[in-house]
Amino acid sequence: MTSEKSDLAKIQEYKDKFQQMGTLAHREGEWLKSYSRVLLNFLDLLDQLAIHEHGKDKTLALQIHDTGLLLAELGDYFTAIDVFQRLSARCLAAKNFNQAGLAFNSMGLTYNQLNL
């Protein structure tokens, strides 16, 4: 349980960083470098997190999902889609079908925003 609380704190830290970056108007140079670094570290963390089966605490999956939605709000649709794909795959592997369905749905909604 301690590990999951620690993971939740890490996800919240990344969410806060993305929200802070979203308020910055100038998106070149140092901003882009900083955003890329935070994004790659977040994706690396996402690949290491343990997702639990359906019926267990699903807070971690929801936090990851919310971070994907935040990335889409920032206009980084392709990374949001990547987060939803990774999350849905991890949830399916853990037999957490409700969270996997939520991630698949959000992935589809994000694709629709791109008009592809």
Side-chain angles (χ1 to χ4, degrees):
M1 193 67 154
T2 307
S3 176
E4 186 170 336
K5 286 183 181 180
S6 174
D7 291 341
L8 281 171
K10 290 176 188 175
I11 295 295
Q12 185 60 49
E13 181 182 326
Y14 281 107
K15 275 179 64 177
D16 292 342
K17 286 180 183 180
F18 288 131
Q19 285 175 331
Q20 180 184 18
M21 289 178 166
T23 61
L24 300 174
H26 196 60
R27 296 181 179 205
E28 296 177 357
E30 287 303 314
W31 182 92
L32 192 56
K33 287 180 190 175
S34 178
Y35 180 77
S36 298
R37 189 172 25 259
V38 170
L39 188 61
L40 290 174
N41 288 334
F42 171 71
L43 293 174
D44 185 49
L45 174 66
L46 178 59
D47 289 338
Q48 298 173 24
L49 296 175
I51 305 294
H52 296 291
E53 284 185 43
H54 173 69
K56 293 187 178 181
D57 185 21
K58 52 189 171 237
T59 309
L60 184 60
L62 287 174
Q63 285 283 26
I64 296 167
H65 183 264
D66 288 348
T67 306
L69 292 175
L70 178 61
L71 290 168
E73 288 176 19
L74 291 174
D76 194 350
Y77 299 110
F78 292 108
T79 303
I81 289 168
D82 185 33
V83 168
F84 295 136
Q85 286 176 334
R86 290 173 191 229
L87 178 59
S88 59
R90 300 292 299 278
C91 287
L92 283 174
K95 297 181 181 170
N96 186 336
F97 302 119
N98 287 342
Q99 294 300 317
L102 181 64
F104 275 125
N105 186 45
S106 294
M107 184 173 49
L109 292 172
T110 306
Y111 271 119
N112 285 342
Q113 289 177 333
L114 292 171
N115 294 320
L116 294 177

